[in-house]
Amino acid sequence: MSTEVSRPTRPGTPSSPPALRPERRVPRVFYLMVLPALALFAVFHTVPLLTGMFFSLTNYAGYGEWSFVGLRNYVNLFGDDRIYGAYGFTFLFAIVSTVAVNIIALSIAIALNGRIRFKTGFRGIFFIPNILSILIVGYVFNYLFSNSVPAIADALGITSLTTSILASPDTAWIGVVILSVWQAAAFNIIIYLAGLQTIPTELYEAAALDGASPWKQFTSITFPMIGAFFTINMVLSLKNFLQVFDQIVSLTAGGPGTSTESISLLIYRGGFQGGEYGYQTANAVIYLFVIIAISFIQLRVLQRREASF
């Protein structure tokens, strides 16, 4: 065994530079796993995104010849009433659905985290909507709203529900919210359950000894301890609901009229069916940055709320 003797440094003389750490070599398997994924991401995500941004500066109809029009598509968007209508419906739907799904998911998660029988079975049952196809479930809900619910309401004498809620511009959005919340709650329940299981039971035992009510325990222990999980659910819910598409296609197809036409549906219809590929691509580019900005602001605000708990 060899030993090294360090030389004493004289006062006033500069100390020797620290020894450089040996360079760490990146394992070859790292490149074998990362580079294919990076290539696929670039081919199927980055290239189409950049191509779409390019065509947003043209008058391309989706077929035939096209020419460069600069920022004309972006300027025309701000004078299109149909764009404003789609934005209004989408944001109203997203806000209502985000609040509703988080209240319902948190309530169910707290119930499933309690001392109840068949807890594991119930957790599996409540997760089933998340693995079902939205389109298939949407057509089932369409049948229920259009046939079953009016028949039951007619038998019970509830006149306000004897006609399908999807047939009225004032109530059609409620059907979309019900379907979306029912399908999305499963994923949020799993996230909240994961958060609830990180809370030490000793906190609840100490609170019970101090005479704290269940509501006081929720506001002082449960909700502050799952603040990070609440933030994740709120951000993901709002982002997903802002991109609502399948639920509307299966329930209302944007109707009656354009009362339930979301931005995603408007982009799809105008871009692929209406010969407005360049124009709706500009709409999609703006909407992309709107969603990014909202998610960023929402994340920062909720994270500050976590720190204040």
Side-chain angles (χ1 to χ4, degrees):
M1 178 183 296
S2 63
T3 58
E4 295 182 358
V5 179
S6 60
R7 297 180 178 178
T9 57
R10 296 179 180 178
T13 58
S15 59
S16 59
L20 296 177
R21 294 182 178 179
E23 184 178 356
R24 297 181 58 184
R25 294 188 59 185
V26 180
R28 183 178 300 177
V29 67
F30 173 81
Y31 295 105
L32 293 177
M33 297 180 66
V34 171
L35 290 180
L38 186 62
L40 291 174
F41 182 83
V43 171
F44 293 105
H45 182 273
T46 306
V47 173
L49 176 64
L50 296 177
T51 305
M53 288 183 173
F54 172 78
F55 278 107
S56 70
L57 303 175
T58 69
N59 62 354
Y60 186 48
Y63 52 85
E65 299 180 352
W66 52 270
S67 58
F68 190 74
V69 297
L71 298 176
R72 186 187 306 167
N73 289 331
Y74 292 91
V75 174
N76 292 337
L77 287 173
F78 292 95
D80 192 338
D81 293 335
R82 193 173 180 182
I83 298 290
Y84 289 116
Y87 267 81
F89 165 76
T90 305
F91 276 86
L92 173 65
F93 161 80
I95 293 172
V96 173
S97 299
T98 300
V99 174
V101 76
N102 279 278
I103 292 175
I104 294 173
L106 182 56
S107 303
I108 295 176
I110 292 175
L112 293 177
N113 196 49
R115 297 177 179 177
I116 60 173
R117 301 182 63 182
F118 310 114
K119 181 189 302 185
T120 306
F122 282 123
R123 289 178 180 177
I125 292 173
F126 278 101
F127 191 69
I128 289 177
N130 186 260
I131 62 176
L132 298 177
S133 169
I134 299 178
L135 276 176
I136 295 175
V137 175
Y139 288 120
V140 172
F141 271 70
N142 192 335
Y143 179 84
L144 295 176
F145 288 137
S146 302
N147 299 280
S148 302
V149 173
I152 296 173
D154 189 37
L156 297 177
I158 307 174
T159 55
S160 58
L161 294 176
T162 52
T163 57
S164 174
I165 62 173
L166 304 178
S168 170
D170 298 326
T171 58
W173 68 277
I174 298 176
V176 182
V177 169
I178 293 174
L179 170 62
S180 303
V181 170
W182 180 84
Q183 195 274 334
F187 179 78
N188 291 40
I189 290 173
I190 295 299
I191 299 294
Y192 279 129
L193 271 175
L196 292 171
Q197 292 178 0
T198 63
I199 304 176
T201 57
E202 291 80 5
L203 294 177
Y204 292 108
E205 294 173 358
L209 290 176
D210 291 338
S213 64
W215 176 250
K216 186 65 176 178
Q217 293 181 19
F218 173 77
T219 56
S220 300
I221 299 176
T222 306
F223 195 69
M225 294 292 288
I226 62 169
F229 299 88
F230 175 74
T231 299
I232 292 172
N233 270 338
M234 288 293 290
V235 174
L236 292 181
S237 299
L238 184 61
K239 181 188 75 68
N240 291 333
F241 287 135
L242 285 174
Q243 303 176 62
V244 60
F245 181 82
D246 293 341
Q247 295 91 333
I248 296 176
V249 169
S250 59
L251 284 181
T252 64
T258 58
S259 59
T260 59
E261 187 176 59
S262 68
I263 302 173
S264 298
L265 183 62
L266 176 60
I267 293 171
Y268 170 77
R269 280 180 168 173
F272 293 99
Q273 299 175 351
E276 301 175 340
Y277 187 85
Y279 180 69
Q280 293 300 335
T281 303
N283 187 15
V285 171
I286 289 182
Y287 196 49
L288 168 67
F289 289 106
V290 168
I291 292 178
I292 293 175
I294 291 175
S295 299
F296 179 76
I297 294 172
Q298 189 184 18
L299 190 62
R300 294 299 300 269
V301 171
L302 292 175
Q303 284 180 336
R304 289 180 181 177
R305 292 283 299 174
E306 291 177 28
S308 65
F309 285 142

Short mmCIF file of all heavy atoms in Angstrom, two decimals, residues 47-95:
data_model
loop_
_atom_site.label_atom_id
_atom_site.label_comp_id
_atom_site.label_asym_id
_atom_site.label_seq_id
_atom_site.Cartn_x
_atom_site.Cartn_y
_atom_site.Cartn_z
N VAL A 47 -40.35 17.79 -36.91
CA VAL A 47 -40.46 18.09 -38.35
C VAL A 47 -41.90 18.49 -38.72
O VAL A 47 -42.11 19.50 -39.42
CB VAL A 47 -39.97 16.89 -39.19
CG1 VAL A 47 -40.25 17.12 -40.66
CG2 VAL A 47 -38.48 16.67 -38.95
N PRO A 48 -42.95 17.74 -38.30
CA PRO A 48 -44.32 18.20 -38.61
C PRO A 48 -44.64 19.56 -38.02
O PRO A 48 -45.36 20.35 -38.63
CB PRO A 48 -45.19 17.10 -37.99
CG PRO A 48 -44.33 15.89 -37.96
CD PRO A 48 -42.95 16.40 -37.68
N LEU A 49 -44.11 19.83 -36.80
CA LEU A 49 -44.37 21.14 -36.19
C LEU A 49 -43.77 22.26 -37.02
O LEU A 49 -44.44 23.26 -37.30
CB LEU A 49 -43.79 21.15 -34.77
CG LEU A 49 -43.89 22.48 -34.02
CD1 LEU A 49 -45.35 22.85 -33.78
CD2 LEU A 49 -43.14 22.40 -32.69
N LEU A 50 -42.52 22.08 -37.42
CA LEU A 50 -41.88 23.12 -38.22
C LEU A 50 -42.53 23.24 -39.60
O LEU A 50 -42.68 24.34 -40.13
CB LEU A 50 -40.38 22.80 -38.36
CG LEU A 50 -39.58 22.81 -37.05
CD1 LEU A 50 -38.14 22.42 -37.31
CD2 LEU A 50 -39.65 24.18 -36.40
N THR A 51 -42.97 22.10 -40.16
CA THR A 51 -43.67 22.14 -41.45
C THR A 51 -44.98 22.89 -41.34
O THR A 51 -45.35 23.70 -42.21
CB THR A 51 -43.92 20.71 -41.95
OG1 THR A 51 -42.69 19.99 -42.00
CG2 THR A 51 -44.55 20.72 -43.33
N GLY A 52 -45.70 22.64 -40.24
CA GLY A 52 -46.96 23.35 -40.03
C GLY A 52 -46.75 24.84 -39.86
O GLY A 52 -47.52 25.65 -40.37
N MET A 53 -45.70 25.21 -39.11
CA MET A 53 -45.41 26.64 -38.95
C MET A 53 -45.09 27.29 -40.30
O MET A 53 -45.47 28.43 -40.55
CB MET A 53 -44.23 26.81 -37.99
CG MET A 53 -44.58 26.52 -36.55
SD MET A 53 -43.18 26.82 -35.44
CE MET A 53 -43.97 26.61 -33.85
N PHE A 54 -44.43 26.55 -41.16
CA PHE A 54 -44.12 27.10 -42.48
C PHE A 54 -45.39 27.31 -43.30
O PHE A 54 -45.60 28.38 -43.89
CB PHE A 54 -43.16 26.17 -43.22
CG PHE A 54 -42.93 26.55 -44.64
CD1 PHE A 54 -42.09 27.60 -44.97
CD2 PHE A 54 -43.59 25.88 -45.68
CE1 PHE A 54 -41.91 27.97 -46.30
CE2 PHE A 54 -43.41 26.25 -47.00
CZ PHE A 54 -42.56 27.29 -47.30
N PHE A 55 -46.26 26.30 -43.32
CA PHE A 55 -47.48 26.43 -44.12
C PHE A 55 -48.47 27.44 -43.52
O PHE A 55 -49.39 27.88 -44.21
CB PHE A 55 -48.17 25.07 -44.26
CG PHE A 55 -47.59 24.21 -45.34
CD1 PHE A 55 -46.83 23.10 -45.04
CD2 PHE A 55 -47.80 24.53 -46.68
CE1 PHE A 55 -46.28 22.31 -46.05
CE2 PHE A 55 -47.26 23.75 -47.69
CZ PHE A 55 -46.49 22.64 -47.37
N SER A 56 -48.29 27.80 -42.23
CA SER A 56 -49.14 28.85 -41.67
C SER A 56 -48.86 30.20 -42.30
O SER A 56 -49.64 31.14 -42.14
CB SER A 56 -48.95 28.92 -40.16
OG SER A 56 -47.67 29.44 -39.83
N LEU A 57 -47.75 30.31 -43.02
CA LEU A 57 -47.38 31.55 -43.70
C LEU A 57 -47.75 31.51 -45.18
O LEU A 57 -47.28 32.34 -45.96
CB LEU A 57 -45.88 31.80 -43.54
CG LEU A 57 -45.36 31.88 -42.10
CD1 LEU A 57 -43.84 32.00 -42.09
CD2 LEU A 57 -46.00 33.05 -41.36
N THR A 58 -48.57 30.53 -45.55
CA THR A 58 -48.97 30.38 -46.95
C THR A 58 -50.49 30.33 -47.06
O THR A 58 -51.20 30.29 -46.04
CB THR A 58 -48.39 29.08 -47.55
OG1 THR A 58 -49.06 27.95 -46.93
CG2 THR A 58 -46.91 28.96 -47.28
N ASN A 59 -50.98 30.32 -48.28
CA ASN A 59 -52.42 30.17 -48.52
C ASN A 59 -52.77 28.76 -48.98
O ASN A 59 -53.72 28.55 -49.73
CB ASN A 59 -52.91 31.18 -49.56
CG ASN A 59 -52.22 30.97 -50.91
OD1 ASN A 59 -51.32 30.15 -51.04
ND2 ASN A 59 -52.64 31.73 -51.91
N TYR A 60 -52.00 27.80 -48.53
CA TYR A 60 -52.18 26.40 -48.95
C TYR A 60 -53.55 25.90 -48.50
O TYR A 60 -53.94 26.06 -47.34
CB TYR A 60 -51.07 25.55 -48.34
CG TYR A 60 -51.04 24.12 -48.81
CD1 TYR A 60 -51.12 23.81 -50.15
CD2 TYR A 60 -50.91 23.08 -47.90
CE1 TYR A 60 -51.07 22.49 -50.59
CE2 TYR A 60 -50.86 21.77 -48.33
CZ TYR A 60 -50.95 21.48 -49.67
OH TYR A 60 -50.91 20.17 -50.10
N ALA A 61 -54.27 25.27 -49.42
CA ALA A 61 -55.61 24.77 -49.13
C ALA A 61 -55.61 23.30 -48.74
O ALA A 61 -56.67 22.74 -48.47
CB ALA A 61 -56.51 24.97 -50.34
N GLY A 62 -54.44 22.69 -48.73
CA GLY A 62 -54.36 21.25 -48.47
C GLY A 62 -54.16 20.46 -49.72
O GLY A 62 -53.94 19.24 -49.66
N TYR A 63 -54.24 21.12 -50.86
CA TYR A 63 -54.02 20.47 -52.15
C TYR A 63 -53.69 21.58 -53.16
O TYR A 63 -53.97 22.76 -52.93
CB TYR A 63 -55.28 19.72 -52.60
CG TYR A 63 -56.53 20.56 -52.57
CD1 TYR A 63 -56.88 21.37 -53.64
CD2 TYR A 63 -57.34 20.55 -51.44
CE1 TYR A 63 -58.00 22.17 -53.60
CE2 TYR A 63 -58.47 21.34 -51.39
CZ TYR A 63 -58.80 22.14 -52.47
OH TYR A 63 -59.92 22.95 -52.40
N GLY A 64 -53.10 21.19 -54.27
CA GLY A 64 -52.82 22.15 -55.35
C GLY A 64 -51.66 23.07 -55.04
O GLY A 64 -50.82 22.80 -54.17
N GLU A 65 -51.64 24.20 -55.71
CA GLU A 65 -50.55 25.15 -55.58
C GLU A 65 -50.80 26.09 -54.41
O GLU A 65 -51.94 26.26 -53.94
CB GLU A 65 -50.40 25.95 -56.88
CG GLU A 65 -50.07 25.08 -58.09
CD GLU A 65 -49.92 25.92 -59.35
OE1 GLU A 65 -50.23 27.13 -59.29
OE2 GLU A 65 -49.52 25.37 -60.38
N TRP A 66 -49.74 26.71 -53.97
CA TRP A 66 -49.83 27.65 -52.87
C TRP A 66 -48.80 28.75 -53.06
O TRP A 66 -47.86 28.62 -53.86
CB TRP A 66 -49.60 26.94 -51.53
CG TRP A 66 -48.34 26.11 -51.49
CD1 TRP A 66 -48.21 24.80 -51.83
CD2 TRP A 66 -47.03 26.56 -51.13
NE1 TRP A 66 -46.91 24.40 -51.69
CE2 TRP A 66 -46.16 25.45 -51.24
CE3 TRP A 66 -46.51 27.79 -50.71
CZ2 TRP A 66 -44.80 25.54 -50.97
CZ3 TRP A 66 -45.15 27.87 -50.42
CH2 TRP A 66 -44.31 26.75 -50.55
N SER A 67 -49.00 29.84 -52.33
CA SER A 67 -48.05 30.95 -52.40
C SER A 67 -47.83 31.51 -51.00
O SER A 67 -48.66 31.32 -50.10
CB SER A 67 -48.58 32.05 -53.34
OG SER A 67 -49.84 32.52 -52.88
N PHE A 68 -46.75 32.20 -50.84
CA PHE A 68 -46.37 32.77 -49.55
C PHE A 68 -47.18 34.04 -49.28
O PHE A 68 -47.21 34.94 -50.11
CB PHE A 68 -44.88 33.07 -49.56
CG PHE A 68 -44.31 33.43 -48.24
CD1 PHE A 68 -44.11 32.46 -47.26
CD2 PHE A 68 -43.98 34.74 -47.96
CE1 PHE A 68 -43.58 32.80 -46.03
CE2 PHE A 68 -43.44 35.08 -46.73
CZ PHE A 68 -43.25 34.11 -45.76
N VAL A 69 -47.84 34.11 -48.09
CA VAL A 69 -48.68 35.27 -47.77
C VAL A 69 -48.20 35.99 -46.51
O VAL A 69 -48.87 36.91 -46.03
CB VAL A 69 -50.15 34.85 -47.58
CG1 VAL A 69 -50.72 34.29 -48.85
CG2 VAL A 69 -50.30 33.86 -46.42
N GLY A 70 -47.09 35.59 -45.96
CA GLY A 70 -46.56 36.27 -44.77
C GLY A 70 -47.43 36.04 -43.55
O GLY A 70 -47.88 34.92 -43.28
N LEU A 71 -47.72 37.11 -42.82
CA LEU A 71 -48.49 37.02 -41.58
C LEU A 71 -49.98 37.28 -41.79
O LEU A 71 -50.70 37.54 -40.82
CB LEU A 71 -47.93 38.02 -40.56
CG LEU A 71 -46.47 37.80 -40.12
CD1 LEU A 71 -46.03 38.91 -39.18
CD2 LEU A 71 -46.31 36.44 -39.45
N ARG A 72 -50.44 37.22 -43.04
CA ARG A 72 -51.85 37.56 -43.32
C ARG A 72 -52.80 36.62 -42.59
O ARG A 72 -53.84 37.06 -42.07
CB ARG A 72 -52.11 37.50 -44.82
CG ARG A 72 -53.50 37.98 -45.21
CD ARG A 72 -53.76 37.73 -46.68
NE ARG A 72 -52.72 38.30 -47.53
CZ ARG A 72 -52.57 38.03 -48.81
NH1 ARG A 72 -53.40 37.15 -49.39
NH2 ARG A 72 -51.61 38.59 -49.51
N ASN A 73 -52.48 35.32 -42.53
CA ASN A 73 -53.36 34.38 -41.82
C ASN A 73 -53.50 34.74 -40.35
O ASN A 73 -54.59 34.66 -39.77
CB ASN A 73 -52.81 32.95 -41.95
CG ASN A 73 -52.96 32.41 -43.36
OD1 ASN A 73 -53.89 32.79 -44.08
ND2 ASN A 73 -52.06 31.53 -43.75
N TYR A 74 -52.38 35.12 -39.74
CA TYR A 74 -52.41 35.46 -38.32
C TYR A 74 -53.23 36.73 -38.08
O TYR A 74 -53.95 36.83 -37.09
CB TYR A 74 -50.99 35.65 -37.79
CG TYR A 74 -50.19 34.36 -37.75
CD1 TYR A 74 -49.42 33.95 -38.82
CD2 TYR A 74 -50.23 33.55 -36.62
CE1 TYR A 74 -48.70 32.77 -38.78
CE2 TYR A 74 -49.53 32.36 -36.57
CZ TYR A 74 -48.76 31.98 -37.65
OH TYR A 74 -48.05 30.80 -37.60
N VAL A 75 -53.12 37.69 -38.96
CA VAL A 75 -53.88 38.93 -38.81
C VAL A 75 -55.38 38.66 -38.98
O VAL A 75 -56.21 39.17 -38.22
CB VAL A 75 -53.39 39.98 -39.82
CG1 VAL A 75 -54.27 41.23 -39.77
CG2 VAL A 75 -51.93 40.34 -39.56
N ASN A 76 -55.74 37.83 -39.96
CA ASN A 76 -57.15 37.54 -40.22
C ASN A 76 -57.81 36.78 -39.07
O ASN A 76 -59.03 36.87 -38.88
CB ASN A 76 -57.29 36.74 -41.52
CG ASN A 76 -56.92 37.55 -42.74
OD1 ASN A 76 -56.97 38.79 -42.72
ND2 ASN A 76 -56.53 36.88 -43.81
N LEU A 77 -57.02 36.02 -38.31
CA LEU A 77 -57.60 35.27 -37.18
C LEU A 77 -58.25 36.20 -36.17
O LEU A 77 -59.28 35.86 -35.57
CB LEU A 77 -56.50 34.45 -36.50
CG LEU A 77 -56.00 33.21 -37.24
CD1 LEU A 77 -54.80 32.62 -36.50
CD2 LEU A 77 -57.10 32.17 -37.36
N PHE A 78 -57.67 37.36 -35.95
CA PHE A 78 -58.18 38.27 -34.93
C PHE A 78 -59.48 38.96 -35.37
O PHE A 78 -60.10 39.63 -34.56
CB PHE A 78 -57.12 39.32 -34.59
CG PHE A 78 -55.94 38.73 -33.87
CD1 PHE A 78 -54.81 38.35 -34.57
CD2 PHE A 78 -55.97 38.53 -32.50
CE1 PHE A 78 -53.72 37.79 -33.92
CE2 PHE A 78 -54.89 37.97 -31.83
CZ PHE A 78 -53.76 37.59 -32.55
N GLY A 79 -59.88 38.79 -36.63
CA GLY A 79 -61.15 39.36 -37.07
C GLY A 79 -62.19 38.30 -37.39
O GLY A 79 -63.22 38.61 -38.01
N ASP A 80 -61.95 37.07 -36.99
CA ASP A 80 -62.85 35.95 -37.30
C ASP A 80 -63.74 35.66 -36.09
O ASP A 80 -63.25 35.20 -35.04
CB ASP A 80 -62.02 34.71 -37.66
CG ASP A 80 -62.87 33.60 -38.28
OD1 ASP A 80 -64.09 33.60 -38.04
OD2 ASP A 80 -62.30 32.74 -38.98
N ASP A 81 -65.04 35.89 -36.22
CA ASP A 81 -65.96 35.65 -35.10
C ASP A 81 -66.06 34.18 -34.74
O ASP A 81 -66.32 33.84 -33.58
CB ASP A 81 -67.35 36.19 -35.46
CG ASP A 81 -67.37 37.70 -35.57
OD1 ASP A 81 -66.50 38.34 -34.94
OD2 ASP A 81 -68.24 38.24 -36.30
N ARG A 82 -65.89 33.30 -35.72
CA ARG A 82 -65.97 31.87 -35.43
C ARG A 82 -64.81 31.43 -34.52
O ARG A 82 -64.96 30.56 -33.67
CB ARG A 82 -65.93 31.08 -36.73
CG ARG A 82 -66.32 29.63 -36.56
CD ARG A 82 -66.42 28.93 -37.90
NE ARG A 82 -66.80 27.54 -37.75
CZ ARG A 82 -66.92 26.69 -38.76
NH1 ARG A 82 -66.71 27.13 -39.99
NH2 ARG A 82 -67.27 25.44 -38.54
N ILE A 83 -63.66 32.06 -34.69
CA ILE A 83 -62.52 31.76 -33.81
C ILE A 83 -62.85 32.17 -32.38
O ILE A 83 -62.60 31.41 -31.42
CB ILE A 83 -61.26 32.50 -34.30
CG1 ILE A 83 -60.88 32.05 -35.72
CG2 ILE A 83 -60.11 32.30 -33.32
CD1 ILE A 83 -60.35 30.65 -35.79
N TYR A 84 -63.43 33.36 -32.22
CA TYR A 84 -63.78 33.82 -30.86
C TYR A 84 -64.81 32.89 -30.22
O TYR A 84 -64.75 32.60 -29.02
CB TYR A 84 -64.31 35.25 -30.92
CG TYR A 84 -63.24 36.27 -31.22
CD1 TYR A 84 -63.29 37.03 -32.40
CD2 TYR A 84 -62.18 36.48 -30.35
CE1 TYR A 84 -62.32 37.96 -32.69
CE2 TYR A 84 -61.20 37.42 -30.63
CZ TYR A 84 -61.27 38.16 -31.81
OH TYR A 84 -60.30 39.07 -32.08
N GLY A 85 -65.78 32.44 -31.01
CA GLY A 85 -66.80 31.52 -30.48
C GLY A 85 -66.18 30.21 -30.02
O GLY A 85 -66.54 29.69 -28.95
N ALA A 86 -65.26 29.68 -30.81
CA ALA A 86 -64.60 28.42 -30.44
C ALA A 86 -63.74 28.60 -29.19
O ALA A 86 -63.73 27.74 -28.31
CB ALA A 86 -63.74 27.92 -31.61
N TYR A 87 -63.04 29.73 -29.10
CA TYR A 87 -62.24 29.99 -27.91
C TYR A 87 -63.14 30.12 -26.67
O TYR A 87 -62.81 29.60 -25.60
CB TYR A 87 -61.41 31.26 -28.09
CG TYR A 87 -60.02 31.01 -28.63
CD1 TYR A 87 -59.80 30.83 -29.98
CD2 TYR A 87 -58.94 30.96 -27.76
CE1 TYR A 87 -58.53 30.60 -30.47
CE2 TYR A 87 -57.66 30.72 -28.25
CZ TYR A 87 -57.47 30.55 -29.60
OH TYR A 87 -56.20 30.30 -30.08
N GLY A 88 -64.25 30.82 -26.82
CA GLY A 88 -65.16 31.00 -25.67
C GLY A 88 -65.70 29.68 -25.17
O GLY A 88 -65.68 29.41 -23.96
N PHE A 89 -66.17 28.83 -26.09
CA PHE A 89 -66.70 27.53 -25.66
C PHE A 89 -65.60 26.67 -25.05
O PHE A 89 -65.80 26.03 -23.99
CB PHE A 89 -67.31 26.78 -26.84
CG PHE A 89 -67.53 25.32 -26.55
CD1 PHE A 89 -68.58 24.91 -25.74
CD2 PHE A 89 -66.65 24.36 -27.05
CE1 PHE A 89 -68.76 23.55 -25.45
CE2 PHE A 89 -66.83 23.02 -26.77
CZ PHE A 89 -67.88 22.61 -25.97
N THR A 90 -64.43 26.64 -25.68
CA THR A 90 -63.35 25.76 -25.20
C THR A 90 -62.90 26.15 -23.80
O THR A 90 -62.72 25.28 -22.93
CB THR A 90 -62.16 25.80 -26.17
OG1 THR A 90 -62.61 25.46 -27.48
CG2 THR A 90 -61.09 24.82 -25.74
N PHE A 91 -62.73 27.42 -23.55
CA PHE A 91 -62.25 27.84 -22.23
C PHE A 91 -63.34 27.65 -21.17
O PHE A 91 -63.03 27.26 -20.04
CB PHE A 91 -61.79 29.30 -22.28
CG PHE A 91 -60.38 29.44 -22.76
CD1 PHE A 91 -60.10 29.52 -24.11
CD2 PHE A 91 -59.33 29.47 -21.86
CE1 PHE A 91 -58.80 29.64 -24.57
CE2 PHE A 91 -58.02 29.57 -22.31
CZ PHE A 91 -57.75 29.67 -23.66
N LEU A 92 -64.60 27.91 -21.50
CA LEU A 92 -65.68 27.66 -20.54
C LEU A 92 -65.75 26.18 -20.20
O LEU A 92 -65.82 25.80 -19.02
CB LEU A 92 -67.02 28.12 -21.13
CG LEU A 92 -68.26 27.76 -20.30
CD1 LEU A 92 -68.23 28.47 -18.96
CD2 LEU A 92 -69.54 28.12 -21.07
N PHE A 93 -65.71 25.36 -21.22
CA PHE A 93 -65.74 23.91 -21.01
C PHE A 93 -64.54 23.45 -20.18
O PHE A 93 -64.68 22.65 -19.24
CB PHE A 93 -65.75 23.19 -22.36
CG PHE A 93 -65.34 21.75 -22.29
CD1 PHE A 93 -66.23 20.78 -21.88
CD2 PHE A 93 -64.04 21.39 -22.62
CE1 PHE A 93 -65.84 19.45 -21.80
CE2 PHE A 93 -63.65 20.06 -22.54
CZ PHE A 93 -64.55 19.10 -22.12
N ALA A 94 -63.35 23.94 -20.51
CA ALA A 94 -62.13 23.48 -19.83
C ALA A 94 -62.13 23.88 -18.36
O ALA A 94 -61.75 23.09 -17.49
CB ALA A 94 -60.90 24.03 -20.54
N ILE A 95 -62.55 25.10 -18.06
CA ILE A 95 -62.53 25.56 -16.66
C ILE A 95 -63.55 24.77 -15.83
O ILE A 95 -63.24 24.28 -14.74
CB ILE A 95 -62.81 27.07 -16.60
CG1 ILE A 95 -61.65 27.84 -17.23
CG2 ILE A 95 -63.04 27.53 -15.16
CD1 ILE A 95 -61.91 29.32 -17.41
#
